[in-house]
Amino acid sequence: MSEPAAQAIHLETTDAVLQRFVGYHIKRTSNAILSDLARVLKPFDLRITTYSALALIIENPGLRQSQLAQVMDVERPNLVVLVDALEQRDLIVRDRVASDRRAYALRATPEGHTVYAAAHDAVVAQDRRLLHGLTDEQRQTLIDLAAVIRSNLEPPKP
Amino acid sequence: MSEPAAQAIHLETTDAVLQRFVGYHIKRTSNAILSDLARVLKPFDLRITTYSALALIIENPGLRQSQLAQVMDVERPNLVVLVDALEQRDLIVRDRVASDRRAYALRATPEGHTVYAAAHDAVVAQDRRLLHGLTDEQRQTLIDLAAVIRSNLEPPKP
DNA sequence: TATTGTTATACTCTATAACTATA
DNA sequence: TATAGTTATAGAGTATAACAATA
């Protein structure tokens, strides 16, 4: 018996507690966008992180791993496996830097450019889709309000 | 030598690629809020998930684990350890339900109410802090715009 | 037969320490 | 001595299968 009675709890209103906080709405929206984006990238055999890395390498040819890690805000050890994945699929190459033989310059292969172009189109389409019904001004308002929140949270480092 | 030259890459503008997408801003904001919230809850020895569970149990006394899992959108096996943590700290109890001896009714202890009251105040303060400089109308606008995005992403289930 | 809570398990993400080769 | 990349590892968070008790 899947009778929901016995305990008179209405699930639609159960989380009214958490709904009072702005962060709850932001988190839910972030999760929704991220899981949808993962779905969009799946046909290209890319995850969000590998897509991001590929995008940053293509837009910044010769980028080094440490720089990529810094921009993506991931630890260097975790970036290694991420770059490995892109290299093993021949989407990027690690070029030795002549002036500093410790470092690698990351560059996309022709195949990498091809895959990225197609994936990028899909991501742009997703961006348009999730903004459906919103004006350019509303889009900018959303980004601005989000930036205000982030700046309000910046100080408390120590 | 920590000379940043050799590769002329400006990190402030390196991620301009990803900044074009609204999801990037939402995700960064969500991460900022969540990590700050974790910091706010640390003094109470609560994590975000345990705080959420405690809040939902207090606002819905007698809630069952399966219902709590549904509302929190976590799998039942993962909720068990979460409820374990709250029970071991004597913040909640698992009461057997007379009408269905398979289920547990979750209730907060006096200690649970005390801890929650203090943690809740801190979370409310954080909510106010992150909204600093925004009007009530701007707060509502942000929530509404986020809701539009989520509704735009709902259909693609099949 | 189905459901509640549970155990065991596995897979991803993330974070830290320590190594190597170069500087 | 310090840095770039790497390895190994450990800790969260999350997901599925299968079990015991109960419906």
Side-chain angles (χ1 to χ4, degrees), chain A residues 79-131:
Chain A
L79 189 80
V80 171
V81 300
L82 205 157
V83 169
D84 281 349
L86 289 172
E87 191 184 38
Q88 279 158 23
R89 285 186 58 198
D90 291 318
L91 301 182
I92 65 161
V93 291
R94 284 189 242 230
D95 282 349
R96 275 288 178 199
V97 176
S99 60
D100 185 346
R101 290 176 42 74
R102 294 173 303 183
Y104 286 115
L106 304 175
R107 288 181 225 285
T109 63
E111 171 73 2
H113 279 91
T114 302
V115 170
Y116 174 66
H120 181 69
D121 285 351
V123 174
V124 168
Q126 189 231 18
D127 190 61
R128 261 201 303 269
R129 178 162 51 86
L130 62 85
L131 289 170

Side-chain angles (χ1 to χ4, degrees), chain B residues 1-2 47 49 73-75 77-78 98-102:
Chain B
M1 67 112 171
S2 57
R47 279 172 297 155
T49 48
D73 194 28
V74 307
E75 296 300 319
N78 298 327
S99 61
D100 186 346
R101 291 177 43 73
R102 295 172 303 181

